[in-house]
PDB file of all heavy atoms in Angstrom:
ATOM      1  N   SER A 928      25.413   9.097 -40.905  1.00 86.00           N
ATOM      2  CA  SER A 928      23.952   9.245 -40.838  1.00 86.00           C
ATOM      3  C   SER A 928      23.265   7.914 -40.546  1.00 86.00           C
ATOM      4  O   SER A 928      22.207   7.888 -39.893  1.00 86.00           O
ATOM      5  CB  SER A 928      23.414   9.856 -42.126  1.00 86.00           C
ATOM      6  OG  SER A 928      23.701   9.022 -43.220  1.00 86.00           O
ATOM      7  N   TYR A 929      23.818   6.807 -40.983  1.00 90.00           N
ATOM      8  CA  TYR A 929      23.227   5.495 -40.701  1.00 90.00           C
ATOM      9  C   TYR A 929      23.267   5.214 -39.193  1.00 90.00           C
ATOM     10  O   TYR A 929      22.262   4.761 -38.628  1.00 90.00           O
ATOM     11  CB  TYR A 929      23.993   4.411 -41.476  1.00 90.00           C
ATOM     12  CG  TYR A 929      23.439   3.039 -41.253  1.00 90.00           C
ATOM     13  CD1 TYR A 929      22.238   2.653 -41.848  1.00 90.00           C
ATOM     14  CD2 TYR A 929      24.106   2.116 -40.448  1.00 90.00           C
ATOM     15  CE1 TYR A 929      21.717   1.387 -41.648  1.00 90.00           C
ATOM     16  CE2 TYR A 929      23.588   0.843 -40.237  1.00 90.00           C
ATOM     17  CZ  TYR A 929      22.392   0.479 -40.843  1.00 90.00           C
ATOM     18  OH  TYR A 929      21.875  -0.776 -40.631  1.00 90.00           O
ATOM     19  N   THR A 930      24.365   5.504 -38.549  1.00 88.00           N
ATOM     20  CA  THR A 930      24.479   5.301 -37.104  1.00 88.00           C
ATOM     21  C   THR A 930      23.544   6.236 -36.346  1.00 88.00           C
ATOM     22  O   THR A 930      22.957   5.850 -35.329  1.00 88.00           O
ATOM     23  CB  THR A 930      25.943   5.509 -36.641  1.00 88.00           C
ATOM     24  OG1 THR A 930      26.800   4.642 -37.413  1.00 88.00           O
ATOM     25  CG2 THR A 930      26.123   5.182 -35.170  1.00 88.00           C
ATOM     26  N   LYS A 931      23.372   7.462 -36.864  1.00 86.00           N
ATOM     27  CA  LYS A 931      22.427   8.382 -36.227  1.00 86.00           C
ATOM     28  C   LYS A 931      21.011   7.825 -36.278  1.00 86.00           C
ATOM     29  O   LYS A 931      20.292   7.862 -35.277  1.00 86.00           O
ATOM     30  CB  LYS A 931      22.460   9.748 -36.937  1.00 86.00           C
ATOM     31  CG  LYS A 931      23.699  10.556 -36.649  1.00 86.00           C
ATOM     32  CD  LYS A 931      23.659  11.881 -37.397  1.00 86.00           C
ATOM     33  CE  LYS A 931      24.924  12.662 -37.155  1.00 86.00           C
ATOM     34  NZ  LYS A 931      24.911  13.967 -37.838  1.00 86.00           N
ATOM     35  N   ARG A 932      20.627   7.280 -37.435  1.00 86.00           N
ATOM     36  CA  ARG A 932      19.288   6.687 -37.556  1.00 86.00           C
ATOM     37  C   ARG A 932      19.132   5.482 -36.623  1.00 86.00           C
ATOM     38  O   ARG A 932      18.077   5.298 -36.000  1.00 86.00           O
ATOM     39  CB  ARG A 932      19.021   6.268 -38.995  1.00 86.00           C
ATOM     40  CG  ARG A 932      18.611   7.408 -39.905  1.00 86.00           C
ATOM     41  CD  ARG A 932      18.037   6.914 -41.230  1.00 86.00           C
ATOM     42  NE  ARG A 932      18.893   5.951 -41.923  1.00 86.00           N
ATOM     43  CZ  ARG A 932      19.804   6.285 -42.836  1.00 86.00           C
ATOM     44  NH1 ARG A 932      19.978   7.548 -43.179  1.00 86.00           N
ATOM     45  NH2 ARG A 932      20.528   5.365 -43.426  1.00 86.00           N
ATOM     46  N   GLU A 933      20.190   4.688 -36.532  1.00 89.00           N
ATOM     47  CA  GLU A 933      20.135   3.517 -35.637  1.00 89.00           C
ATOM     48  C   GLU A 933      19.989   3.956 -34.186  1.00 89.00           C
ATOM     49  O   GLU A 933      19.252   3.337 -33.415  1.00 89.00           O
ATOM     50  CB  GLU A 933      21.393   2.650 -35.791  1.00 89.00           C
ATOM     51  CG  GLU A 933      21.425   1.834 -37.045  1.00 89.00           C
ATOM     52  CD  GLU A 933      22.655   0.941 -37.083  1.00 89.00           C
ATOM     53  OE1 GLU A 933      23.742   1.385 -36.631  1.00 89.00           O
ATOM     54  OE2 GLU A 933      22.545  -0.183 -37.596  1.00 89.00           O
ATOM     55  N   LEU A 934      20.698   4.996 -33.805  1.00 86.00           N
ATOM     56  CA  LEU A 934      20.603   5.513 -32.426  1.00 86.00           C
ATOM     57  C   LEU A 934      19.192   5.991 -32.135  1.00 86.00           C
ATOM     58  O   LEU A 934      18.630   5.688 -31.087  1.00 86.00           O
ATOM     59  CB  LEU A 934      21.606   6.638 -32.200  1.00 86.00           C
ATOM     60  CG  LEU A 934      21.530   7.260 -30.801  1.00 86.00           C
ATOM     61  CD1 LEU A 934      22.103   6.317 -29.757  1.00 86.00           C
ATOM     62  CD2 LEU A 934      22.274   8.581 -30.763  1.00 86.00           C
ATOM     63  N   ILE A 935      18.599   6.718 -33.056  1.00 85.00           N
ATOM     64  CA  ILE A 935      17.238   7.206 -32.883  1.00 85.00           C
ATOM     65  C   ILE A 935      16.263   6.027 -32.777  1.00 85.00           C
ATOM     66  O   ILE A 935      15.365   6.031 -31.929  1.00 85.00           O
ATOM     67  CB  ILE A 935      16.845   8.164 -34.031  1.00 85.00           C
ATOM     68  CG1 ILE A 935      17.656   9.468 -33.909  1.00 85.00           C
ATOM     69  CG2 ILE A 935      15.345   8.460 -34.036  1.00 85.00           C
ATOM     70  CD1 ILE A 935      17.566  10.368 -35.128  1.00 85.00           C
ATOM     71  N   GLU A 936      16.462   5.012 -33.606  1.00 86.00           N
ATOM     72  CA  GLU A 936      15.584   3.832 -33.569  1.00 86.00           C
ATOM     73  C   GLU A 936      15.749   3.084 -32.237  1.00 86.00           C
ATOM     74  O   GLU A 936      14.765   2.631 -31.644  1.00 86.00           O
ATOM     75  CB  GLU A 936      15.893   2.917 -34.748  1.00 86.00           C
ATOM     76  CG  GLU A 936      14.858   1.845 -34.964  1.00 86.00           C
ATOM     77  CD  GLU A 936      13.445   2.371 -35.128  1.00 86.00           C
ATOM     78  OE1 GLU A 936      13.241   3.381 -35.825  1.00 86.00           O
ATOM     79  OE2 GLU A 936      12.522   1.795 -34.526  1.00 86.00           O
ATOM     80  N   CYS A 937      16.959   2.980 -31.749  1.00 86.00           N
ATOM     81  CA  CYS A 937      17.202   2.344 -30.442  1.00 86.00           C
ATOM     82  C   CYS A 937      16.539   3.141 -29.327  1.00 86.00           C
ATOM     83  O   CYS A 937      15.974   2.552 -28.382  1.00 86.00           O
ATOM     84  CB  CYS A 937      18.695   2.199 -30.169  1.00 86.00           C
ATOM     85  SG  CYS A 937      19.491   0.854 -31.048  1.00 86.00           S
ATOM     86  N   ALA A 938      16.610   4.465 -29.406  1.00 84.00           N
ATOM     87  CA  ALA A 938      15.974   5.308 -28.391  1.00 84.00           C
ATOM     88  C   ALA A 938      14.467   5.099 -28.400  1.00 84.00           C
ATOM     89  O   ALA A 938      13.836   5.023 -27.333  1.00 84.00           O
ATOM     90  CB  ALA A 938      16.330   6.770 -28.629  1.00 84.00           C
ATOM     91  N   ARG A 939      13.882   4.978 -29.583  1.00 85.00           N
ATOM     92  CA  ARG A 939      12.441   4.714 -29.661  1.00 85.00           C
ATOM     93  C   ARG A 939      12.102   3.356 -29.071  1.00 85.00           C
ATOM     94  O   ARG A 939      11.094   3.209 -28.363  1.00 85.00           O
ATOM     95  CB  ARG A 939      11.970   4.772 -31.120  1.00 85.00           C
ATOM     96  CG  ARG A 939      11.851   6.157 -31.638  1.00 85.00           C
ATOM     97  CD  ARG A 939      11.199   6.170 -33.018  1.00 85.00           C
ATOM     98  NE  ARG A 939      11.335   7.485 -33.591  1.00 85.00           N
ATOM     99  CZ  ARG A 939      11.790   7.757 -34.794  1.00 85.00           C
ATOM    100  NH1 ARG A 939      12.169   6.789 -35.599  1.00 85.00           N
ATOM    101  NH2 ARG A 939      11.877   9.002 -35.225  1.00 85.00           N
ATOM    102  N   ALA A 940      12.901   2.353 -29.377  1.00 87.00           N
ATOM    103  CA  ALA A 940      12.644   1.007 -28.872  1.00 87.00           C
ATOM    104  C   ALA A 940      12.737   0.983 -27.348  1.00 87.00           C
ATOM    105  O   ALA A 940      11.926   0.345 -26.674  1.00 87.00           O
ATOM    106  CB  ALA A 940      13.634   0.017 -29.482  1.00 87.00           C
ATOM    107  N   VAL A 941      13.705   1.697 -26.800  1.00 86.00           N
ATOM    108  CA  VAL A 941      13.861   1.732 -25.348  1.00 86.00           C
ATOM    109  C   VAL A 941      12.690   2.465 -24.698  1.00 86.00           C
ATOM    110  O   VAL A 941      12.175   2.028 -23.666  1.00 86.00           O
ATOM    111  CB  VAL A 941      15.224   2.365 -24.952  1.00 86.00           C
ATOM    112  CG1 VAL A 941      15.290   2.693 -23.478  1.00 86.00           C
ATOM    113  CG2 VAL A 941      16.361   1.421 -25.323  1.00 86.00           C
ATOM    114  N   THR A 942      12.236   3.526 -25.315  1.00 84.00           N
ATOM    115  CA  THR A 942      11.078   4.250 -24.791  1.00 84.00           C
ATOM    116  C   THR A 942       9.861   3.333 -24.781  1.00 84.00           C
ATOM    117  O   THR A 942       9.082   3.323 -23.810  1.00 84.00           O
ATOM    118  CB  THR A 942      10.798   5.499 -25.637  1.00 84.00           C
ATOM    119  OG1 THR A 942      11.955   6.345 -25.616  1.00 84.00           O
ATOM    120  CG2 THR A 942       9.605   6.272 -25.110  1.00 84.00           C
ATOM    121  N   GLU A 943       9.709   2.538 -25.815  1.00 86.00           N
ATOM    122  CA  GLU A 943       8.611   1.574 -25.873  1.00 86.00           C
ATOM    123  C   GLU A 943       8.738   0.530 -24.761  1.00 86.00           C
ATOM    124  O   GLU A 943       7.753   0.164 -24.125  1.00 86.00           O
ATOM    125  CB  GLU A 943       8.628   0.896 -27.234  1.00 86.00           C
ATOM    126  CG  GLU A 943       7.435   0.018 -27.520  1.00 86.00           C
ATOM    127  CD  GLU A 943       7.501  -0.540 -28.928  1.00 86.00           C
ATOM    128  OE1 GLU A 943       7.592   0.257 -29.886  1.00 86.00           O
ATOM    129  OE2 GLU A 943       7.473  -1.776 -29.061  1.00 86.00           O
ATOM    130  N   LYS A 944       9.951   0.079 -24.515  1.00 87.00           N
ATOM    131  CA  LYS A 944      10.167  -0.913 -23.440  1.00 87.00           C
ATOM    132  C   LYS A 944       9.911  -0.317 -22.060  1.00 87.00           C
ATOM    133  O   LYS A 944       9.418  -1.001 -21.166  1.00 87.00           O
ATOM    134  CB  LYS A 944      11.588  -1.479 -23.539  1.00 87.00           C
ATOM    135  CG  LYS A 944      11.785  -2.350 -24.774  1.00 87.00           C
ATOM    136  CD  LYS A 944      13.204  -2.834 -24.903  1.00 87.00           C
ATOM    137  CE  LYS A 944      13.481  -3.475 -26.236  1.00 87.00           C
ATOM    138  NZ  LYS A 944      12.691  -4.614 -26.572  1.00 87.00           N
ATOM    139  N   VAL A 945      10.192   0.960 -21.888  1.00 85.00           N
ATOM    140  CA  VAL A 945       9.853   1.629 -20.629  1.00 85.00           C
ATOM    141  C   VAL A 945       8.346   1.600 -20.414  1.00 85.00           C
ATOM    142  O   VAL A 945       7.880   1.307 -19.318  1.00 85.00           O
ATOM    143  CB  VAL A 945      10.384   3.097 -20.610  1.00 85.00           C
ATOM    144  CG1 VAL A 945       9.789   3.877 -19.444  1.00 85.00           C
ATOM    145  CG2 VAL A 945      11.910   3.110 -20.516  1.00 85.00           C
ATOM    146  N   SER A 946       7.588   1.867 -21.464  1.00 83.00           N
ATOM    147  CA  SER A 946       6.128   1.850 -21.319  1.00 83.00           C
ATOM    148  C   SER A 946       5.618   0.451 -21.012  1.00 83.00           C
ATOM    149  O   SER A 946       4.651   0.273 -20.281  1.00 83.00           O
ATOM    150  CB  SER A 946       5.452   2.432 -22.554  1.00 83.00           C
ATOM    151  OG  SER A 946       5.619   1.591 -23.656  1.00 83.00           O
ATOM    152  N   LEU A 947       6.281  -0.589 -21.538  1.00 86.00           N
ATOM    153  CA  LEU A 947       5.895  -1.975 -21.232  1.00 86.00           C
ATOM    154  C   LEU A 947       6.165  -2.301 -19.764  1.00 86.00           C
ATOM    155  O   LEU A 947       5.376  -2.985 -19.112  1.00 86.00           O
ATOM    156  CB  LEU A 947       6.633  -2.947 -22.147  1.00 86.00           C
ATOM    157  CG  LEU A 947       6.202  -2.922 -23.613  1.00 86.00           C
ATOM    158  CD1 LEU A 947       7.095  -3.852 -24.452  1.00 86.00           C
ATOM    159  CD2 LEU A 947       4.749  -3.316 -23.762  1.00 86.00           C
ATOM    160  N   VAL A 948       7.292  -1.816 -19.241  1.00 86.00           N
ATOM    161  CA  VAL A 948       7.589  -2.028 -17.822  1.00 86.00           C
ATOM    162  C   VAL A 948       6.540  -1.319 -16.971  1.00 86.00           C
ATOM    163  O   VAL A 948       6.015  -1.878 -16.008  1.00 86.00           O
ATOM    164  CB  VAL A 948       9.012  -1.526 -17.457  1.00 86.00           C
ATOM    165  CG1 VAL A 948       9.249  -1.557 -15.958  1.00 86.00           C
ATOM    166  CG2 VAL A 948      10.070  -2.368 -18.147  1.00 86.00           C
ATOM    167  N   LEU A 949       6.197  -0.094 -17.356  1.00 83.00           N
ATOM    168  CA  LEU A 949       5.171   0.641 -16.615  1.00 83.00           C
ATOM    169  C   LEU A 949       3.827  -0.096 -16.620  1.00 83.00           C
ATOM    170  O   LEU A 949       3.155  -0.172 -15.596  1.00 83.00           O
ATOM    171  CB  LEU A 949       4.990   2.043 -17.213  1.00 83.00           C
ATOM    172  CG  LEU A 949       6.022   3.066 -16.788  1.00 83.00           C
ATOM    173  CD1 LEU A 949       5.856   4.352 -17.612  1.00 83.00           C
ATOM    174  CD2 LEU A 949       5.899   3.373 -15.315  1.00 83.00           C
ATOM    175  N   SER A 950       3.451  -0.641 -17.764  1.00 82.00           N
ATOM    176  CA  SER A 950       2.155  -1.342 -17.827  1.00 82.00           C
ATOM    177  C   SER A 950       2.183  -2.597 -16.966  1.00 82.00           C
ATOM    178  O   SER A 950       1.179  -2.928 -16.316  1.00 82.00           O
ATOM    179  CB  SER A 950       1.777  -1.677 -19.272  1.00 82.00           C
ATOM    180  OG  SER A 950       2.648  -2.639 -19.819  1.00 82.00           O
ATOM    181  N   ALA A 951       3.323  -3.300 -16.903  1.00 83.00           N
ATOM    182  CA  ALA A 951       3.415  -4.477 -16.027  1.00 83.00           C
ATOM    183  C   ALA A 951       3.312  -4.065 -14.573  1.00 83.00           C
ATOM    184  O   ALA A 951       2.653  -4.728 -13.764  1.00 83.00           O
ATOM    185  CB  ALA A 951       4.734  -5.225 -16.285  1.00 83.00           C
ATOM    186  N   LEU A 952       3.945  -2.959 -14.225  1.00 80.00           N
ATOM    187  CA  LEU A 952       3.878  -2.463 -12.848  1.00 80.00           C
ATOM    188  C   LEU A 952       2.451  -2.053 -12.483  1.00 80.00           C
ATOM    189  O   LEU A 952       1.984  -2.320 -11.375  1.00 80.00           O
ATOM    190  CB  LEU A 952       4.831  -1.287 -12.654  1.00 80.00           C
ATOM    191  CG  LEU A 952       6.299  -1.624 -12.668  1.00 80.00           C
ATOM    192  CD1 LEU A 952       7.136  -0.350 -12.704  1.00 80.00           C
ATOM    193  CD2 LEU A 952       6.669  -2.469 -11.478  1.00 80.00           C
ATOM    194  N   GLN A 953       1.767  -1.407 -13.406  1.00 78.00           N
ATOM    195  CA  GLN A 953       0.404  -0.981 -13.138  1.00 78.00           C
ATOM    196  C   GLN A 953      -0.512  -2.178 -13.001  1.00 78.00           C
ATOM    197  O   GLN A 953      -1.440  -2.181 -12.200  1.00 78.00           O
ATOM    198  CB  GLN A 953      -0.080  -0.031 -14.225  1.00 78.00           C
ATOM    199  CG  GLN A 953       0.595   1.319 -14.136  1.00 78.00           C
ATOM    200  CD  GLN A 953       0.337   2.212 -15.332  1.00 78.00           C
ATOM    201  OE1 GLN A 953      -0.067   1.744 -16.392  1.00 78.00           O
ATOM    202  NE2 GLN A 953       0.590   3.499 -15.181  1.00 78.00           N
ATOM    203  N   ALA A 954      -0.253  -3.251 -13.759  1.00 77.00           N
ATOM    204  CA  ALA A 954      -1.078  -4.466 -13.640  1.00 77.00           C
ATOM    205  C   ALA A 954      -0.878  -5.089 -12.259  1.00 77.00           C
ATOM    206  O   ALA A 954      -1.823  -5.597 -11.668  1.00 77.00           O
ATOM    207  CB  ALA A 954      -0.695  -5.468 -14.721  1.00 77.00           C
ATOM    208  N   GLY A 955       0.354  -5.022 -11.756  1.00 71.00           N
ATOM    209  CA  GLY A 955       0.621  -5.552 -10.422  1.00 71.00           C
ATOM    210  C   GLY A 955       0.127  -4.666  -9.320  1.00 71.00           C
ATOM    211  O   GLY A 955       0.005  -5.070  -8.152  1.00 71.00           O
ATOM    212  N   ASN A 956      -0.197  -3.427  -9.654  1.00 69.00           N
ATOM    213  CA  ASN A 956      -0.607  -2.442  -8.670  1.00 69.00           C
ATOM    214  C   ASN A 956      -2.111  -2.417  -8.450  1.00 69.00           C
ATOM    215  O   ASN A 956      -2.610  -1.741  -7.573  1.00 69.00           O
ATOM    216  CB  ASN A 956      -0.123  -1.053  -9.127  1.00 69.00           C
ATOM    217  CG  ASN A 956      -0.223  -0.014  -8.067  1.00 69.00           C
ATOM    218  OD1 ASN A 956      -0.142  -0.302  -6.886  1.00 69.00           O
ATOM    219  ND2 ASN A 956      -0.383   1.221  -8.475  1.00 69.00           N
ATOM    220  N   LYS A 957      -2.864  -3.159  -9.266  1.00 66.00           N
ATOM    221  CA  LYS A 957      -4.322  -3.115  -9.185  1.00 66.00           C
ATOM    222  C   LYS A 957      -4.844  -3.532  -7.821  1.00 66.00           C
ATOM    223  O   LYS A 957      -5.750  -2.915  -7.286  1.00 66.00           O
ATOM    224  CB  LYS A 957      -4.950  -3.974 -10.285  1.00 66.00           C
ATOM    225  CG  LYS A 957      -4.856  -3.361 -11.645  1.00 66.00           C
ATOM    226  CD  LYS A 957      -5.480  -4.227 -12.702  1.00 66.00           C
ATOM    227  CE  LYS A 957      -5.292  -3.589 -14.077  1.00 66.00           C
ATOM    228  NZ  LYS A 957      -5.688  -4.447 -15.149  1.00 66.00           N
ATOM    229  N   GLY A 958      -4.297  -4.601  -7.262  1.00 65.00           N
ATOM    230  CA  GLY A 958      -4.736  -5.054  -5.944  1.00 65.00           C
ATOM    231  C   GLY A 958      -4.432  -4.030  -4.871  1.00 65.00           C
ATOM    232  O   GLY A 958      -5.263  -3.760  -3.998  1.00 65.00           O
ATOM    233  N   THR A 959      -3.265  -3.423  -4.945  1.00 62.00           N
ATOM    234  CA  THR A 959      -2.889  -2.394  -3.987  1.00 62.00           C
ATOM    235  C   THR A 959      -3.833  -1.201  -4.100  1.00 62.00           C
ATOM    236  O   THR A 959      -4.306  -0.667  -3.096  1.00 62.00           O
ATOM    237  CB  THR A 959      -1.440  -1.930  -4.234  1.00 62.00           C
ATOM    238  OG1 THR A 959      -0.583  -3.074  -4.157  1.00 62.00           O
ATOM    239  CG2 THR A 959      -1.006  -0.899  -3.217  1.00 62.00           C
ATOM    240  N   GLN A 960      -4.121  -0.789  -5.319  1.00 64.00           N
ATOM    241  CA  GLN A 960      -5.010   0.344  -5.524  1.00 64.00           C
ATOM    242  C   GLN A 960      -6.413   0.036  -5.040  1.00 64.00           C
ATOM    243  O   GLN A 960      -7.080   0.887  -4.452  1.00 64.00           O
ATOM    244  CB  GLN A 960      -5.039   0.756  -7.005  1.00 64.00           C
ATOM    245  CG  GLN A 960      -5.790   2.038  -7.249  1.00 64.00           C
ATOM    246  CD  GLN A 960      -5.205   3.217  -6.498  1.00 64.00           C
ATOM    247  OE1 GLN A 960      -4.011   3.441  -6.497  1.00 64.00           O
ATOM    248  NE2 GLN A 960      -6.037   3.958  -5.812  1.00 64.00           N
ATOM    249  N   ALA A 961      -6.873  -1.213  -5.234  1.00 65.00           N
ATOM    250  CA  ALA A 961      -8.195  -1.605  -4.748  1.00 65.00           C
ATOM    251  C   ALA A 961      -8.256  -1.524  -3.230  1.00 65.00           C
ATOM    252  O   ALA A 961      -9.255  -1.066  -2.656  1.00 65.00           O
ATOM    253  CB  ALA A 961      -8.530  -2.998  -5.230  1.00 65.00           C
ATOM    254  N   CYS A 962      -7.181  -1.941  -2.568  1.00 66.00           N
ATOM    255  CA  CYS A 962      -7.137  -1.862  -1.094  1.00 66.00           C
ATOM    256  C   CYS A 962      -7.145  -0.401  -0.630  1.00 66.00           C
ATOM    257  O   CYS A 962      -7.821  -0.067   0.348  1.00 66.00           O
ATOM    258  CB  CYS A 962      -5.884  -2.566  -0.560  1.00 66.00           C
ATOM    259  SG  CYS A 962      -5.972  -4.349  -0.673  1.00 66.00           S
ATOM    260  N   ILE A 963      -6.416   0.455  -1.310  1.00 64.00           N
ATOM    261  CA  ILE A 963      -6.380   1.871  -0.957  1.00 64.00           C
ATOM    262  C   ILE A 963      -7.773   2.480  -1.127  1.00 64.00           C
ATOM    263  O   ILE A 963      -8.257   3.227  -0.264  1.00 64.00           O
ATOM    264  CB  ILE A 963      -5.332   2.626  -1.808  1.00 64.00           C
ATOM    265  CG1 ILE A 963      -3.918   2.195  -1.397  1.00 64.00           C
ATOM    266  CG2 ILE A 963      -5.491   4.140  -1.671  1.00 64.00           C
ATOM    267  CD1 ILE A 963      -2.834   2.670  -2.351  1.00 64.00           C
ATOM    268  N   THR A 964      -8.445   2.147  -2.224  1.00 71.00           N
ATOM    269  CA  THR A 964      -9.786   2.655  -2.472  1.00 71.00           C
ATOM    270  C   THR A 964     -10.765   2.169  -1.421  1.00 71.00           C
ATOM    271  O   THR A 964     -11.582   2.952  -0.885  1.00 71.00           O
ATOM    272  CB  THR A 964     -10.260   2.242  -3.884  1.00 71.00           C
ATOM    273  OG1 THR A 964      -9.321   2.726  -4.838  1.00 71.00           O
ATOM    274  CG2 THR A 964     -11.641   2.779  -4.205  1.00 71.00           C
ATOM    275  N   ALA A 965     -10.680   0.881  -1.068  1.00 70.00           N
ATOM    276  CA  ALA A 965     -11.561   0.315  -0.049  1.00 70.00           C
ATOM    277  C   ALA A 965     -11.312   0.961   1.302  1.00 70.00           C
ATOM    278  O   ALA A 965     -12.244   1.287   2.049  1.00 70.00           O
ATOM    279  CB  ALA A 965     -11.388  -1.198   0.030  1.00 70.00           C
ATOM    280  N   ALA A 966     -10.044   1.138   1.656  1.00 71.00           N
ATOM    281  CA  ALA A 966      -9.698   1.758   2.925  1.00 71.00           C
ATOM    282  C   ALA A 966     -10.227   3.191   2.992  1.00 71.00           C
ATOM    283  O   ALA A 966     -10.717   3.645   4.037  1.00 71.00           O
ATOM    284  CB  ALA A 966      -8.181   1.752   3.144  1.00 71.00           C
ATOM    285  N   SER A 967     -10.159   3.887   1.872  1.00 74.00           N
ATOM    286  CA  SER A 967     -10.664   5.246   1.832  1.00 74.00           C
ATOM    287  C   SER A 967     -12.178   5.274   2.015  1.00 74.00           C
ATOM    288  O   SER A 967     -12.720   6.109   2.758  1.00 74.00           O
ATOM    289  CB  SER A 967     -10.280   5.889   0.502  1.00 74.00           C
ATOM    290  OG  SER A 967     -10.824   7.168   0.394  1.00 74.00           O
ATOM    291  N   ALA A 968     -12.875   4.328   1.379  1.00 76.00           N
ATOM    292  CA  ALA A 968     -14.334   4.248   1.516  1.00 76.00           C
ATOM    293  C   ALA A 968     -14.704   3.927   2.967  1.00 76.00           C
ATOM    294  O   ALA A 968     -15.636   4.531   3.515  1.00 76.00           O
ATOM    295  CB  ALA A 968     -14.880   3.195   0.583  1.00 76.00           C
ATOM    296  N   VAL A 969     -13.982   2.984   3.581  1.00 76.00           N
ATOM    297  CA  VAL A 969     -14.259   2.626   4.968  1.00 76.00           C
ATOM    298  C   VAL A 969     -13.998   3.825   5.887  1.00 76.00           C
ATOM    299  O   VAL A 969     -14.784   4.097   6.812  1.00 76.00           O
ATOM    300  CB  VAL A 969     -13.436   1.394   5.411  1.00 76.00           C
ATOM    301  CG1 VAL A 969     -13.513   1.154   6.907  1.00 76.00           C
ATOM    302  CG2 VAL A 969     -13.922   0.162   4.659  1.00 76.00           C
ATOM    303  N   SER A 970     -12.945   4.552   5.624  1.00 74.00           N
ATOM    304  CA  SER A 970     -12.647   5.754   6.439  1.00 74.00           C
ATOM    305  C   SER A 970     -13.773   6.769   6.322  1.00 74.00           C
ATOM    306  O   SER A 970     -14.153   7.408   7.314  1.00 74.00           O
ATOM    307  CB  SER A 970     -11.334   6.394   5.984  1.00 74.00           C
ATOM    308  OG  SER A 970     -10.250   5.563   6.288  1.00 74.00           O
ATOM    309  N   GLY A 971     -14.323   6.931   5.131  1.00 74.00           N
ATOM    310  CA  GLY A 971     -15.448   7.858   4.931  1.00 74.00           C
ATOM    311  C   GLY A 971     -16.683   7.412   5.698  1.00 74.00           C
ATOM    312  O   GLY A 971     -17.367   8.229   6.323  1.00 74.00           O
ATOM    313  N   ILE A 972     -16.948   6.113   5.684  1.00 78.00           N
ATOM    314  CA  ILE A 972     -18.096   5.589   6.435  1.00 78.00           C
ATOM    315  C   ILE A 972     -17.909   5.797   7.929  1.00 78.00           C
ATOM    316  O   ILE A 972     -18.831   6.219   8.641  1.00 78.00           O
ATOM    317  CB  ILE A 972     -18.307   4.090   6.104  1.00 78.00           C
ATOM    318  CG1 ILE A 972     -18.770   3.948   4.660  1.00 78.00           C
ATOM    319  CG2 ILE A 972     -19.323   3.454   7.063  1.00 78.00           C
ATOM    320  CD1 ILE A 972     -18.740   2.528   4.126  1.00 78.00           C
ATOM    321  N   ILE A 973     -16.689   5.537   8.423  1.00 76.00           N
ATOM    322  CA  ILE A 973     -16.411   5.735   9.838  1.00 76.00           C
ATOM    323  C   ILE A 973     -16.584   7.206  10.210  1.00 76.00           C
ATOM    324  O   ILE A 973     -17.173   7.521  11.257  1.00 76.00           O
ATOM    325  CB  ILE A 973     -14.983   5.233  10.186  1.00 76.00           C
ATOM    326  CG1 ILE A 973     -14.950   3.708  10.090  1.00 76.00           C
ATOM    327  CG2 ILE A 973     -14.549   5.704  11.569  1.00 76.00           C
ATOM    328  CD1 ILE A 973     -13.572   3.109  10.193  1.00 76.00           C
TER     329      ILE A 973
END
């Protein structure tokens, strides 16, 4: 049962680390998203 608890705790920690990777990727994606939004606005104006 101790190893089972450790496995569950490791799974939680890894899930948390996945969310940290996602947040770093989203932070790096802000410029790209801003360009996509601007291009869409320009397309609408055209």
